[in-house]
Amino acid sequence: MDINKRTILWIVFAVSLVVLWNNWMVSTGHPSMFAPQPPAKTAPVADAKKSESATAAANATATAGALPGAAAADGAAAPFKSELITVTTDVVRADIDTQGGVIRRLELLNFKENSHPGWFNGCFGWFKWCQPGDNGKNVVLFDIDASTNKTYLGQTGLINAPGAPNHTSPFIAKPGARMLNGANQVQLVLESESGGVKLTKTFTFKRGDYVVDVRHDVTNTGTAPVNPTLYMRLVHDGNKPATDSFFSSSYTGPTMYTAENKYEKLKFDTLEKEAKEAQKTGKPMVQDHVTHADNGWIAISQHFFVSAFIPQDKQMHEIVTEKIDTNLYGIGIKQPLGALAPGATISNNARLFSGPQISKLLEPVTPGLELVKDYGWLAIIAKPMFWVMEHIHAVLGNWGWTIIAFTILIKLLFFPLSAAGYKSMAKIKLVTPKIQAIRERYKGDPAKMNQATMELYKTEKINPLGGCLPILIQMPVFISLYYVLQAAVEVRGAPWIGWITDLSQHDPFGILPVLYAISMFITTKLNPAPADPMQAKIMLFMPLVFSVMFFVFPSGLVLYWVVNNVLSIAQQWVITKKYSVPVPAKA
């Protein structure tokens, strides 16, 4: 069979890009192009709704399976003048509301909003979409912003004890420092008492740490035993990030981990569909939640950042996901505290991590938390790749030069295999005239044409698929590096030289994509030309087609590919020159 190796190379490249695109879409919560997505696991929502005449207090402390609802409970609150208490450390600034002890805002002081770099220095003001975005603001995780319909809250409270304090109850803040002021930690203590139960929340913020210790002390101030259940919930709207686009999408949604079920991504869309189906059929939503787990965590994950509640270890709990209100969803933990006799007190120590997805920060917190740094289906390659890049960066101090050094390292590692592929391509280029002669001789007989071509390859000891090897080697590295640059917050906002001010964003002047197109054109010219003139023209045009995609890819990824192409051209030129003198034909 007559096989044109460059056609195979482009097919492999195109298929790899399709696979890359498919896995990118899956990793960002979209359905796969090749297989249906299994339904995301969800947990029971609140039990049957109370009648309209039911009081808000009953709604807030209803049945054992229900967490207090947002809308109903807010309407239930007694007149109370709440205040926002701001706690500031060297890495975060948090606003906590005395109405419920809710974390309403959390700002990361060392990370700026990562807006797009614009195009061509703002196109001289011609088009608004060409202008670079504003990256002068700090990243804000927890927040309520009516202008963007953003809702992102951290709530805790008690259920299963009628009238007990929850995330809508009034709390009194104890006096104390609100900033570090030279200390290594600062605490905020909130107290609330109702229904014969006193709840004390203690938030401990530490210097240089994104982990907030959240202790709950529950005291039975009544005359009868109670069996309260502590809940911790992350509430988020179902909106897609404002920075998302067709070519640059990211996942935002609930995630969870247990030792038994490992890491799971959930979707707001699934919760919405189940809620609509339940409303249509009059049946409760599909119930499927983690039970009897004494480990793990829940989180709201987004691009580069995560907020996760880690419950007290070795204590049984359930993980609950639910639709709270219109376009408002929650993922929470319900942890029974056991029977509490009158006058008795029980303490529960949980933690909240809210910060960047940096592996060395995530791994010490709790098992599995580093999995929120999603490297996709090639994590087995991407993780060690990034480990090597981190060590190179520790020496060079610049992520652009790190990518170049890493590309050289990869090229040296696979030098023997790629050299064998280029050697095969050089030999094919030498016998191209003979192949064209065979095509002319057997133009009307494809079977004899293929047979004669394969005999020629055998005689000249040529592997017609040998030229595919360099591409096949590079594609897993290419895809893995794509995921690394998509997931590594360390590369976010990292400059290289001159016009490249953020390696995780596109090249604002399109210089690297143009260099990629030029390098691909040179590579095509070094390869043996196809016998079909039309196919030859298509092959010359293909680099331009593929370079278009690189205009929206992260500039760090395009930098890798440009450097790789330059090294490949040098290697291929040397090998082609070595075999440029035709060897006398064998008998």
Side-chain angles (χ1 to χ4, degrees):
M1 183 174 73
D2 184 17
I3 302 177
N4 185 289
K5 67 178 189 326
R6 282 205 295 179
T7 302
I8 296 175
L9 291 178
W10 284 114
I11 291 174
V12 171
F13 188 53
V15 170
S16 300
L17 287 175
V18 171
V19 172
L20 171 64
W21 178 264
N22 176 70
N23 284 277
W24 180 27
M25 296 295 285
V26 172
S27 69
T28 54
H30 297 81
S32 170
M33 294 186 295
F34 307 116
Q37 285 285 347
K41 292 187 176 182
T42 58
V45 292
D47 293 340
K49 292 183 177 180
K50 300 286 182 179
S51 64
E52 294 183 359
S53 60
T55 65
N59 204 345
T61 58
T63 61
L67 296 183
D74 286 345
F80 172 74
K81 187 177 181 180
S82 65
E83 61 174 322
L84 285 180
I85 299 178
T86 301
V87 179
T88 306
T89 71
D90 56 331
V91 293
V92 301
R93 181 183 294 114
D95 291 343
I96 299 177
D97 197 342
T98 56
Q99 184 77 54
V102 175
I103 303 175
R104 294 179 62 92
R105 193 173 189 275
L106 192 139
E107 180 180 350
L108 304 182
L109 303 181
N110 296 332
F111 292 88
K112 300 295 183 182
E113 289 289 347
N114 196 9
S115 301
H116 65 87
W119 286 101
F120 302 103
N121 201 26
C123 295
F124 306 101
W126 291 345
F127 298 104
K128 191 172 182 179
W129 57 267
C130 290
Q131 300 294 333
D134 179 15
N135 60 353
K137 299 179 181 179
N138 292 330
V139 170
V140 176
L141 298 184
F142 295 101
D143 195 18
I144 294 182
D145 189 345
S147 64
T148 59
N149 294 321
K150 177 181 178 179
T151 301
Y152 190 179
L153 301 170
Q155 303 171 340
T156 67
L158 299 174
I159 55 174
N160 296 342
N166 56 47
H167 70 269
T168 67
S169 305
F171 281 76
I172 302 299
K174 294 293 184 180
R178 303 298 182 237
M179 302 180 69
L180 288 176
N181 294 326
N184 289 324
Q185 68 177 35
V186 58
Q187 286 187 333
L188 171 62
V189 180
L190 303 174
E191 288 185 350
S192 179
E193 183 176 353
S194 60
V197 177
K198 179 181 178 182
L199 174 62
T200 303
K201 297 184 182 183
T202 304
F203 299 90
T204 303
F205 297 79
K206 291 161 285 187
R207 180 180 298 276
D209 202 343
Y210 292 97
V211 176
V212 181
D213 293 335
V214 185
R215 191 178 80 237
H216 294 85
D217 297 305
V218 183
T219 301
N220 184 354
T221 59
T223 58
V226 293
N227 288 273
T229 294
L230 173 69
Y231 68 86
M232 293 167 281
R233 179 167 66 179
L234 297 169
V235 177
H236 201 284
D237 59 79
N239 302 328
K240 286 187 174 295
T243 55
D244 267 17
S245 65
F246 179 78
F247 288 104
S248 179
S249 182
S250 60
Y251 172 80
T252 298
T255 54
M256 54 183 282
Y257 176 90
T258 63
E260 181 181 358
N261 295 334
K262 304 305 179 184
Y263 178 64
E264 295 183 68
K265 276 183 176 181
L266 310 176
K267 293 193 295 184
F268 296 132
D269 290 347
T270 302
L271 297 177
E272 182 64 33
K273 290 177 182 178
E274 290 181 351
K276 289 181 178 179
E277 184 64 25
Q279 185 178 13
K280 184 189 301 183
T281 60
K283 298 179 180 179
M285 288 174 59
V286 177
Q287 299 185 0
D288 186 10
H289 63 282
V290 178
T291 59
H292 309 300
D294 62 354
N295 58 79
W297 45 264
I298 61 166
I300 294 292
S301 297
Q302 64 188 74
H303 200 198
F304 295 130
F305 303 99
V306 64
S307 295
F309 266 125
I310 303 101
Q312 181 168 306
D313 197 24
K314 305 302 180 183
Q315 186 171 344
M316 294 298 179
H317 61 264
E318 292 182 349
I319 295 179
V320 180
T321 58
E322 58 187 333
K323 178 181 178 181
I324 300 173
D325 206 340
T326 302
N327 196 39
L328 194 63
Y329 309 90
I331 180 168
I333 287 174
K334 297 189 300 179
Q335 199 163 45
L337 300 179
L340 199 60
T345 299
I346 189 170
S347 296
N348 182 283
N349 296 290
R351 290 172 294 162
L352 171 68
F353 178 94
S354 191
Q357 295 177 5
I358 298 177
S359 298
K360 65 181 180 181
L361 297 179
L362 298 171
E363 289 173 357
V365 176
T366 188
L369 189 57
E370 72 280 0
L371 296 176
V372 298
K373 191 173 184 177
D374 194 354
Y375 289 121
W377 62 286
L378 282 174
I380 193 172
I381 300 176
K383 280 188 176 181
M385 278 178 56
F386 186 70
W387 181 84
V388 173
M389 292 176 68
E390 277 189 306
H391 283 74
I392 297 175
H393 180 262
V395 177
L396 300 181
N398 180 286
W399 280 104
W401 296 116
T402 296
I403 292 173
I404 293 175
F406 179 77
T407 307
I408 296 172
L409 182 64
I410 290 294
K411 205 66 180 172
L412 291 175
L413 181 63
F414 293 110
F415 180 84
L417 292 175
S418 57
Y422 293 136
K423 180 179 177 181
S424 176
M425 295 170 68
K427 287 184 176 181
I428 292 178
K429 191 171 185 178
L430 289 177
V431 300
T432 297
K434 296 181 181 180
I435 295 175
Q436 291 176 337
I438 292 174
R439 289 175 181 270
E440 291 295 328
R441 187 183 312 162
Y442 300 106
K443 185 182 298 185
D445 194 340
K448 288 186 177 181
M449 182 192 300
N450 292 337
Q451 183 180 359
T453 303
M454 297 307 295
E455 287 177 357
L456 176 63
Y457 287 153
K458 186 177 180 181
T459 302
E460 299 292 341
K461 296 181 180 180
I462 297 173
N463 180 4
L465 300 179
C468 299
L469 198 56
I471 294 293
L472 292 176
I473 292 171
Q474 294 174 40
M475 289 317 300
V477 176
F478 171 78
I479 298 173
S480 299
L481 186 61
Y482 171 82
Y483 280 119
V484 166
L485 294 177
Q486 280 288 100
V489 68
E490 295 87 344
V491 184
R492 178 184 183 271
W496 177 39
I497 57 172
W499 75 104
I500 301 295
T501 57
D502 188 347
L503 288 162
S504 67
Q505 295 280 354
H506 64 265
D507 184 337
F509 289 91
I511 296 174
L512 289 177
V514 171
L515 292 177
Y516 164 79
I518 294 172
S519 65
M520 284 301 298
F521 177 80
I522 296 174
T523 301
T524 303
K525 296 297 289 184
L526 288 175
N527 290 338
D532 185 2
M534 180 58 69
Q535 191 178 26
K537 292 180 180 180
I538 293 175
M539 289 302 168
L540 287 175
F541 183 70
M542 289 301 287
L544 179 61
V545 175
F546 283 106
S547 66
V548 171
M549 291 185 294
F550 284 78
F551 276 90
V552 293
F553 272 29
S555 55
L557 186 67
V558 186
L559 175 63
Y560 159 79
W561 204 251
V562 169
V563 175
N564 181 78
N565 279 1
V566 171
L567 296 175
S568 298
I569 288 170
Q571 185 180 8
Q572 189 174 0
W573 181 80
V574 170
I575 293 175
T576 302
K577 185 177 181 181
K578 180 179 179 180
Y579 290 93
S580 60
V581 180
V583 179
K586 297 182 180 180

